[in-house]
């Protein structure tokens, strides 16, 4: 369909605007004035020059002038047009009209006859459908008159007083027609160049191709008409069908050339559409539309998520708003698979093909442009998602502060950049009684309180310091530059305590949340260490101990005391009892929990969960004893015991025909042992299990460690065929850095995000990002802690492939896992989920 005309602001128009010269470059105005002025002077002057007609003229002088005028008009009315850049070139029967006119009229009157006839024809054409302004008509007709003048002069010089049918006269007429073509062609080239409608190479390549064949026909028709007019006028009747056939042939010739040019330009323009941003594609699309369709203006409206974005580009030419936009405007809706992308509007300079063909070409171009814009929008969404995942990997979603992972990694980097022994302080703070805020005002208001705390803490930070949120209501402030002049010991502790009190004072100021004025109190734990003495993981641990001390003593600030690391009687007893447990055969046990395919519920792997059957305290979970194991020499024997139990159970289900890997959690310190890969290989060999049957789950500081030994151990494990899993993904206790350093086979989404994904968009976004990341990396993705049908459906909607949780199967003793796996496989064939329970599972 055609777009409505572009409304222009009303303005007082000068005579220059009225005749159509407004907004034109000065060179165009000057050229028009020179051509029109010269044509008028020559036309008037030519009538004053006595010049005899060739002998044997068929009409009196007056009749001859009228016939020449009529021929000039008819020649222009029968013109053919083709598009050249953003301009349109007309091909007419002017040479034939000149040849006949030179014979029937005095040569001196030909410029006036041509000027008058062409003016009548173009005035009629403009009035009927072309709407050309006065300046364009005057420029065009004057150019034709000057061409007729040059042709008449050339013919007169050659033919002299020769007879009308003499060879000399025919030669003169042919040369005159060539001069007519040369003059009109030269003036057309100059005009198109000054209008910036086309470059010279394009003109020289296309205009001769269109005009030369028609010129030959013009000369033949003109000379033949002269012979018929002199010898037998009735023969002119035979020219009518011949002229009609020539006109049709010329039209077909020009149209075929125009269509070839159009689709070649179309192919080049669509191939040149870039693969970048939407704005780049739209800009290239506008330039392509201007080039392909020779348009005066092109507009693209792209539909975005919130609103339409409009892009527009004007071609060179008329720049005066009062002049408007010539030619029809064609608008097409751009869509891909039924999804509307936007609209394309093209203002044609003039239609040279029938308008339906222009509309079809613009529709095809719009479809190609829609595909490019759709792809660009898709790439933008993927880039935004990747950027968001990168941001969320190192930032806290609620406050925008750095998370625990970033605190550890960037803190280590900052510490390494300090001079050795220069004091480094970590302030770990916790909002007192924050649970009461959530319970009284609701979690939304609790989140607002945390945001205010984060904003105030960030405002207190200085250049080079690092602020992070590391827990629900826990924040950290890393202070790398501590003045020690006022500190007698030179440790920086005095300045660290001063900063801690500043934090307490600022955060205790009243705040208004949801129209409620309240104040919160915080406790701060301070740990100071010389740079190079310890890493951030240890510094966080020490600051956490100091924070616990502050809360126990109900004071605002407490500092770390090495005495807090002294092993208590209970700790000594636990260590001794762990030694006894490893010496016994029945205290350290495993419970097995399968991970299943979300669609079929078929098992895809089994995780080994360690338990301690304590003879006095009953069954203990890892949280009760694993920290003691990881920080003592018991880690090696304990890890070997867990590997033996896991591989032994896996061997049993393998013998039963169930081919599934078993997953075992690996402590961070195990990966600092260069002999660890050999120990794992030995366990596999003893149980006659392939390396692919074992998955080692990497947790906590393994992902953020930058020690080379960790990379070496992980690389050796990976090269041996053992699979690696990144556990607790998204909580801040793991890092995307491990994915780039050591390829993993599996990503496990922490259960906290699965619990909240239905109610919290932020949690859903983390799950979605993890699933897409896993898909891009080609690794398995397992959602932990699935307990409800709704959670399963939500994960399936996000294309999560695998899950683990009570909804499918609770952890159970090893003697029941083989039958459970068989039952799950059988149930998967009927797409039924059979929740399996274990009475003694925890």
């Amino acid at each position: 369909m055609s777009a409505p005309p572009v409304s222009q602001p009303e303005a007082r128009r000068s005579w220059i605007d009225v005749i159509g010269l407004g907004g034109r470059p000065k060179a165009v105005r000057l050229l028009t004035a020179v051509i029109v002025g010269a044509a008028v002077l020559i036309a008037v002057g030519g009538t004053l020059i006595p010049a005899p007609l060739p002998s044997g003229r068929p009409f009196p002088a007056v009749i001859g002038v009228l016939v020449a005028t009529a021929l000039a008009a008819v020649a222009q009315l029968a013109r053919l047009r083709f598009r050249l850049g953003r301009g349109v070139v007309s091909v007419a029967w002017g040479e034939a009209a000149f040849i006949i006119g030179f014979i029937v009229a005095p040569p001196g009157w030909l410029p006036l006859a041509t000027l008058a006839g062409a003016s009548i024809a173009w005035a009629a054409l403009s009035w009927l459908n072309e709407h050309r302004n006065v300046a364009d008509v005057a420029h065009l007709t004057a150019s034709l008159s000057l061409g007729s003048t040059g042709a008449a002069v050339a013919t007169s010089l050659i033919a002299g007083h020769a007879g009308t049918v003499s060879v000399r006269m025919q030669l003169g007429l042919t040369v005159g027609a060539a001069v007519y073509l040369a003059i009109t062609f030269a003036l057309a080239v100059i005009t198109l160049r000054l209008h910036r409608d086309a470059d010279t190479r394009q003109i020289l390549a296309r205009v001769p191709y269109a005009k030369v064949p028609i010129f030959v026909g013009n000369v033949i028709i003109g000379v033949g008409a002269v012979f018929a007019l002199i010898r037998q006028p009735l023969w002119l009747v035979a020219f009518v069908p011949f002229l009609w056939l020539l006109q049709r042939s010329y039209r077909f010739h020009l149209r075929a050339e125009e269509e070839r040019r159009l689709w070649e330009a179309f192919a080049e323009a669509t191939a040149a559409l870039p693969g970048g941003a939407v704005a780049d594609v739209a800009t290239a699309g506008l330039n392509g539309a201007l080039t392909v369709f020779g348009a005066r203006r092109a507009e693209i409206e792209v539909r975005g998520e919130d609103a339409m974005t409009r892009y527009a580009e004007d071609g060179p030419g008329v720049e005066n708003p009062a002049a408007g936009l010539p030619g029809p405007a064609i608008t097409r809706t751009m869509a891909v698979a039924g999804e509307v992308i936007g609209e394309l509007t093209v203002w044609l300079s003039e239609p040279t093909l029938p308008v339906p063909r222009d509309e079809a070409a613009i529709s095809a171009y719009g479809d190609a442009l829609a595909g490019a814009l759709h792809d660009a929008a898709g790439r933008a969404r993927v880039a935004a998602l990747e950027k968001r995942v990168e941001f969320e990997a190192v930032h806290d979603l609620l406050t925008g502060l750095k998370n625990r992972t970033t605190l550890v990694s960037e803190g280590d980097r900052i510490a390494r950049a300090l001079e050795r022994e220069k004091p480094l302080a970590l302030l770990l703070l916790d909002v007192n009684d924050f649970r009461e805020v959530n319970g009284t005002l609701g979690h939304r208001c609790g989140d607002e309180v945390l945001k205010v705390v984060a904003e105030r803490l960030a405002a207190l930070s200085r250049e080079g310091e690092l602020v992070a949120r590391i827990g629900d209501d826990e924040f950290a402030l890393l202070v790398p530059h501590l003045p020690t002049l006022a500190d007698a010991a030179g440790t920086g502790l005095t300045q660290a305590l001063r900063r801690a009190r500043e934090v307490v004072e600022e955060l205790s100021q009243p705040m208004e949340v949801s129209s409620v004025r309240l104040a919160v109190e915080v406790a701060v734990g301070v740990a100071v260490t010389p740079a190079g003495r310890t890493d951030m993981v240890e510094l966080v641990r020490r600051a956490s101990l100091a924070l616990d001390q502050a809360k126990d003593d109900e004071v605002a600030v407490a500092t770390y005391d090495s005495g807090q690391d002294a092993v208590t009687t209970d700790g000594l007893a636990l260590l001794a009892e762990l030694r006894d447990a490893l010496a016994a055969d029945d205290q350290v046990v495993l419970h097995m929990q399968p991970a299943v395919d979300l669609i079929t519920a078929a098992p895809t792997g089994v995780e080994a969960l360690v338990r301690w059957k304590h003879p006095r305290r009953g069954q203990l979970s890892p949280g009760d004893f694993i920290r003691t194991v990881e920080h003592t020499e018991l880690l090696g024997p304990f890890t070997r015991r867990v590997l033996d139990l896991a591989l032994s159970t896996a061997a049993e289900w393998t013998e039963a025909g169930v081919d599934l890997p078993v997953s075992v959690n690996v402590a961070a310190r195990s990966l600092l042992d260069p002999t660890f890969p050999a120990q794992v290989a030995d366990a596999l060999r003893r149980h006659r299990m392939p390396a692919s049957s074992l998955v080692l789950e990497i947790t906590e500081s393994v992902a953020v460690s930058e020690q080379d030994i960790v990379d070496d151990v992980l690389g050796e494990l990976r090269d041996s065929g053992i699979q690696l899993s990144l556990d607790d993904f998204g909580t801040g206790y793991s890092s995307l850095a491990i994915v780039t350093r050591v390829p993993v086979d599996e990503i496990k989404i922490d259960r906290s995000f699965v619990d909240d994904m239905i109610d919290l968009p932020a949690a859903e976004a983390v799950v979605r990002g993890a699933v897409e990341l896993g898909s891009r990396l080609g690794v398995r993705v397992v959602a932990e802690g699935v307990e409800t049908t709704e959670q399963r459906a939500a994960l399936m909607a996000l294309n999560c492939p695998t899950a683990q949780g009570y909804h499918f199967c609770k952890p159970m003793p090893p003697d029941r896992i083989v039958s459970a796996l068989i039952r799950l496989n059988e149930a998967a064939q009927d797409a039924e989920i059979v929740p399996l329970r274990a009475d003694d599972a925890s």
Side-chain angles (χ1 to χ4, degrees):
M1 64 179 182
S2 296
V6 178
S7 59
Q8 302 292 348
E10 294 185 3
R12 187 174 181 180
R13 303 177 69 189
S14 66
W15 68 270
I16 294 179
D17 293 330
V18 171
I19 66 174
L21 287 176
R24 302 285 179 89
K26 289 183 178 180
V28 174
R29 296 185 189 181
L30 180 60
L31 178 65
T32 300
V34 170
I35 291 176
V36 173
V40 171
L41 289 176
I42 292 173
V44 173
T47 61
L48 304 178
I49 301 174
L53 287 174
S55 59
R57 65 185 181 185
F59 304 116
V62 175
I63 300 298
V65 171
L66 293 177
V67 171
T69 302
L71 289 172
V74 171
Q76 298 305 313
L77 289 173
R79 91 272 185 255
L80 299 172
R81 300 175 301 161
F82 65 94
R83 188 177 292 151
L84 186 61
R86 295 177 179 87
V88 176
V89 176
S90 295
V91 180
W93 294 87
E95 292 85 356
F98 159 74
I99 291 173
I100 299 172
F102 188 87
I103 297 299
V104 302
W109 285 77
L110 276 181
L112 179 60
T114 303
L115 183 64
S119 297
I120 293 171
W122 281 103
L125 290 171
S126 180
W127 178 72
L128 287 174
N129 60 7
E130 297 202 7
H131 307 293
R132 288 183 177 268
N133 55 49
V134 175
D136 285 341
V137 172
H139 185 106
L140 181 59
T141 55
S143 298
L144 297 174
S145 180
L146 291 178
S148 179
T149 300
V153 172
T155 302
S156 298
L157 291 176
I158 294 174
H161 299 289
T164 55
V165 294
S166 65
V167 174
R168 184 176 178 185
M169 177 61 71
Q170 305 314 309
L171 177 61
L173 292 174
T174 302
V175 173
V179 172
Y180 179 92
L181 173 64
I183 293 175
T184 54
F185 174 72
L187 292 176
V189 170
I190 296 172
T191 303
L192 289 171
R193 288 297 296 131
L194 292 179
H195 275 281
R196 302 192 303 277
D197 284 332
D199 59 42
T200 304
R201 288 178 299 177
Q202 188 179 19
I203 296 170
L204 295 176
R206 295 201 58 218
V207 173
Y209 178 84
K211 281 207 168 191
V212 169
I214 298 179
F215 167 76
V216 175
N218 267 276
V219 172
I220 294 173
I221 291 296
V223 173
V226 169
F227 272 93
L229 189 63
I230 299 301
R231 299 288 177 87
Q232 186 54 261
L234 286 178
W235 290 357
L236 292 175
V237 177
F239 278 72
V240 175
F242 183 63
L243 288 172
W244 181 82
L245 287 174
L246 278 179
Q247 181 81 354
R248 297 288 295 177
S249 299
Y250 292 161
R251 185 185 298 275
F252 177 80
H253 171 75
L254 291 177
R255 185 170 296 171
E257 169 62 15
E258 174 64 16
E259 289 191 356
R260 184 190 65 79
R261 182 213 62 83
L262 175 69
W263 293 112
E264 284 182 355
F266 181 98
E268 292 177 0
T270 54
L273 291 175
V278 171
D280 297 333
V281 175
T283 301
L286 290 173
N287 292 329
L290 294 176
T291 301
V292 173
F293 304 106
R296 292 295 184 187
R297 180 179 177 85
E299 290 184 1
I300 296 174
E301 286 191 349
V302 181
R303 177 170 296 180
E305 295 181 358
D306 302 323
M308 298 285 282
T309 304
R310 180 171 172 271
Y311 304 88
E313 186 73 27
D314 290 316
V318 178
E319 301 171 357
N320 184 13
L325 293 172
I330 299 176
T331 298
R332 283 292 178 267
T333 299
M334 299 183 295
V336 175
E339 178 186 354
V340 176
I341 305 299
E343 286 187 345
L344 168 66
T345 302
V346 177
W347 276 266
L348 299 176
S349 56
E350 286 184 75
T352 56
L353 298 176
V355 171
R357 296 194 187 184
D358 279 327
E359 291 178 346
I362 291 174
S363 295
Y365 186 78
D367 291 340
L369 185 56
L373 289 170
H374 183 268
D375 291 345
R379 287 189 295 271
R381 287 192 292 269
V382 171
L385 176 60
E386 291 176 346
K387 186 175 181 180
R388 181 176 179 180
V389 170
E390 290 177 1
F391 178 86
E392 293 176 355
V394 296
H395 290 83
D396 172 61
L397 298 182
L398 177 64
T399 64
L401 298 178
K402 300 297 178 65
N403 59 17
R404 183 187 184 98
T405 298
T406 311
L407 173 68
V408 172
S409 59
E410 291 195 11
D412 282 334
R413 178 182 56 79
I414 291 172
R416 288 194 299 270
L418 294 176
E419 297 179 10
R420 191 168 182 83
E421 303 300 323
K422 188 173 180 63
L424 174 73
L426 180 66
L427 280 57
L428 207 62
L429 62 97
D430 178 88
V431 180
N432 293 334
D433 302 321
F434 181 70
R435 183 172 297 179
E436 295 182 5
V437 176
N438 281 333
T440 304
L441 301 178
H443 286 276
R444 180 175 298 178
C445 291
D447 289 344
E448 292 299 320
V449 170
L450 294 177
K451 289 180 182 179
V452 173
V453 171
E455 290 172 359
R456 292 183 177 182
L457 193 58
L460 280 174
S461 65
R462 300 167 185 170
E463 184 178 358
E465 298 181 348
L466 182 61
V467 183
R469 181 188 177 207
I470 62 173
D472 288 341
D473 58 340
E474 288 188 0
F475 297 83
L477 174 63
L478 181 64
V479 184
H481 304 293
L482 285 174
T484 58
L485 296 178
D487 192 339
T491 62
L493 181 60
T494 302
Q495 292 298 323
L497 289 173
R498 183 175 298 173
R499 289 300 306 281
R501 295 187 183 98
E502 290 177 1
V503 169
V504 171
E505 182 179 355
E506 177 63 26
L507 297 184
S508 64
Q509 297 297 318
M511 64 180 70
E512 186 170 321
V513 175
S514 298
S515 302
V516 177
R517 185 173 173 83
L518 55 87
V520 297
E521 294 182 348
V522 298
V524 181
V526 180
V528 181
T529 183
R533 291 283 187 89
T534 187
D535 59 13
M536 280 302 302
V537 174
E538 175 62 18
L539 193 59
V540 170
R541 187 188 71 81
R542 294 179 182 180
S544 180
L545 289 174
L547 176 60
D548 293 340
Q549 189 66 44
K551 296 177 79 68
D552 291 342
D553 295 343
E554 297 183 352
V555 297
V557 180
T559 60
Y560 166 76
D561 182 0
S562 58
Q564 294 169 325
D565 281 338
V567 182
T568 63
T569 303
D570 289 339
L572 289 173
L574 183 64
L575 183 60
E577 290 169 347
L578 273 171
R579 294 181 186 275
D580 295 337
L582 291 173
D585 294 328
D586 58 349
Q587 291 192 32
V588 178
V589 297
L590 297 181
H591 280 185
M592 318 300 287
Q593 185 179 33
V596 302
D597 185 281
L598 261 176
I599 297 178
T600 65
T604 60
V606 181
E607 182 177 5
L609 305 172
V610 66
R611 300 288 188 266
W612 181 8
K613 287 186 177 180
H614 196 282
R616 178 171 51 87
R617 300 167 58 184
Q619 183 165 277
L620 301 180
S621 64
D624 298 321
F625 60 89
I626 201 66
R627 185 170 181 177
T628 301
V629 171
E630 291 180 349
H631 289 85
T632 64
E633 72 278 9
L634 295 179
L635 178 60
F638 184 87
T639 301
R640 287 191 290 273
R641 171 67 62 83
V642 172
L643 281 172
D644 283 335
L645 291 173
L647 291 173
S648 175
T649 305
E652 293 177 7
W653 70 59
T654 300
E655 291 177 0
V658 179
D659 185 18
L660 294 175
V662 63
S663 299
V664 178
N665 285 279
V666 177
R669 202 157 60 88
S670 294
L671 300 180
L672 296 174
D673 183 2
T675 66
F676 181 68
Q679 298 174 24
V680 176
D682 180 67
L684 289 168
R685 185 168 50 255
R686 283 188 283 104
H687 293 279
R688 299 180 180 179
M689 296 293 290
S692 60
S693 66
L694 179 62
V695 180
L696 299 181
E697 294 189 6
I698 305 167
T699 60
E700 191 115 21
S701 56
V702 174
V704 297
S705 172
E706 294 186 6
Q707 300 190 46
D708 293 338
I709 184 62
V710 173
D711 291 343
D712 295 339
V713 170
L714 290 175
E716 189 173 346
L717 291 170
R718 189 74 167 77
D719 293 341
S720 68
I722 296 170
Q723 301 182 61
L724 299 180
S725 174
L726 186 58
D727 198 13
D728 298 329
F729 181 85
T731 61
Y733 294 92
S734 61
S735 171
L736 291 176
I738 193 70
V739 178
T740 59
R741 286 167 43 204
V742 178
V744 298
D745 303 278
E746 183 180 84
I747 293 176
K748 303 191 78 171
I749 305 173
D750 188 76
R751 67 174 302 150
S752 62
F753 298 104
V754 176
D755 289 340
D756 296 336
M757 65 177 294
I758 296 178
D759 299 321
L760 297 180
E764 185 204 20
V766 173
V767 176
R768 184 191 302 274
V771 172
E772 293 187 6
L773 178 63
S775 176
R776 284 180 172 275
L777 295 176
V779 303
R780 297 189 302 274
V781 178
V782 181
E784 297 182 301
V786 179
E787 297 183 356
T788 67
T789 303
E790 291 78 10
Q791 290 173 344
R792 182 193 183 206
L795 289 167
M796 290 174 65
L798 296 178
N799 296 322
C800 183
T802 314
Q804 180 180 346
Y806 280 25
H807 178 66
F808 305 100
C809 184
K810 288 188 175 182
M812 60 183 60
D815 59 351
R816 301 184 57 185
I817 190 62
V818 176
S819 60
L821 293 175
I822 294 174
R823 289 171 59 191
L824 282 173
N825 270 322
E826 293 173 350
Q829 298 176 3
D830 300 324
E832 291 184 2
I833 298 177
V834 180
L836 302 177
R837 307 183 64 85
D839 295 336
D840 55 346
S842 61

